[in-house]
Amino acid sequence: MRWDAQALNPASEDRAAAGQGTVAASGSPAAADALLPLLGLVRSVTTPEFAGVTFHEVTAKSVLNKVAAGSRMPFEWTINPYRGCSHACVYCFARKSHTYLDFDAGLDFDSQVVVKINAAEVLRRELAKPSWARQHVALGTNTDPYQRAEGRYRLMPGIIGALADSGTPLSILTKGTLLARDIPLLKHAAAQVPVGVGISLAMTDERLAEAVEPGTPGPRARLKLISRLREAGLPCGVMAMPILPWLSDSDEALDSLFASLASAGATGVTAGALYLKPGTREWFMQWVAKEHPQLAGRYRRLYGTGSYAAKEYRDWLSGRIRYFKARHGFSGSQGFSHRDLNDDPGSRDPREEEAQYPDGSLPEPAAVAAGQRPATPAAQATLF
C-alpha cells in the first residue's frame, strides 16, 4: 500500500514546528470544516484500499480516559485509539460521540476516522506516573480498536504491551478478526496481568449481518475467532447485542446464535435488545425506513420517543434469551442485557439492565482487586 502517497495536504514543516496540523482536502465543505477542531492533526489520508474513508492522523496528549463518575460501567478507565469506525454498524451506540468533533453521527462516523498515531508512546508515559494505581483499563468501549485500519497502524500491540508491562489489567471488546494477529501477545500479557477478551456477535445470519454491519467480518469469521481464542487458553465472553426486533429475535435466530456460541466455546454470553441513543436513533430509523419499510412504524411505536424498547418487549425477549441460554449451557451467566430482569422484577429503569459484562470479557474482579499476576503461563486459566 502506498499509504504516504495518498496523504491529503501533509503537514508543512512550518505548521508542524508550530505544533499545528493541517486542514485536509475533502469531498465536501462540511467535512473539511469539521477538521478544524482536531487538535494535533498531522495529516489526513485516503487510499483505494479504504474507498470512501479518510483517516485523520493526530498526536494525542493523553489516551487514558476516566469514566464519568456515577457510571454503571464495571471499569474506571478506557482507551480509544480510534474515533469513528469503518465497521459502519447502523445501530452503533457511539455515533453521537463523533459530533463532539463537529462530524455528523451518520456517514461521517463511518468514513472520517481519527487515528491517535502516538497512542502507545503516550500511554507508557501515563502508566509510568507514580499516581497510576494499575486499575483495569477497557478497550473497545466506544469504537472498535480492531477495525480494519488497525492492520495498517498497528496501535494495539504497543498498547497491550504497555499495559501488561506496567502491571495494569486490561480487557478488549471487538468485532474485528484482526485480533487474531495479537493472540500470542495476549497470551504473554495474560501471564503478567489479568486479561479479559470479548467478541461482539448478535446474529448468525450472514446476509443480515452484511446489511447492518457492512464493514465487519461476518459471523462465521467471528465464531472462528472465538474458537481460536479459547484454543489459545484465553477467555472469550460474547456480547450478543443488539438483538434486533423482528429481524434477529425469532426462536430460530436465537437458537442458532446460542448453539453457535456454545459450539465455539464462549465462556459467557450477555444478550440484549437494540438500544437507540440520540444520533444512533436517527441513523438506524432511516436505515429501517429504506431497507424494511414495513417495520418502520412498528419500530417507532416500540421505541416511542426514548432509547429503549418498551418494557413489555424487553420482558418477552428476556424470557426467550433465558430459555435458549439454558438450552445451550449458558444458564449460569447473565440472562438478558447486562443484568437479568428477573433479579429485580420491580425495577422500571432500563439502565439497571446495564453494568455487567459476560464471563471472560473482563479481568477476574478478585484478581484485579488483589493486583494478582499468574506465576506461570500454565496458570492462566485460573485467572478468568
Side-chain angles (χ1 to χ4, degrees), residues 212-228:
V212 297
E213 307 166 342
T216 67
R220 284 191 296 269
R222 277 177 270 169
L223 287 167
K224 184 177 180 180
L225 175 61
I226 294 168
S227 296
R228 290 188 63 180

Side-chain angles (χ1 to χ4, degrees), residues 150-230:
E150 171 61 16
R152 153 68 191 187
Y153 286 104
R154 299 183 64 87
L155 300 180
M156 287 298 289
I159 290 171
I160 293 169
L163 291 168
D165 291 346
S166 71
T168 300
L170 66 124
S171 65
I172 298 170
L173 176 63
T174 183
K175 291 185 177 78
T177 52
L178 274 167
L179 174 68
R181 178 200 66 193
D182 293 341
I183 286 177
L185 181 58
L186 284 169
K187 289 181 66 176
H188 180 71
Q192 299 173 272
V193 296
V195 169
V197 182
I199 301 299
S200 177
L201 178 59
M203 63 195 74
T204 57
D205 184 328
E206 296 280 341
R207 297 179 73 177
L208 178 60
E210 185 177 358
V212 297
E213 307 166 342
T216 67
R220 284 191 296 269
R222 277 177 270 169
L223 287 167
K224 184 177 180 180
L225 175 61
I226 294 168
S227 296
R228 290 188 63 180
L229 287 163
R230 300 298 291 127

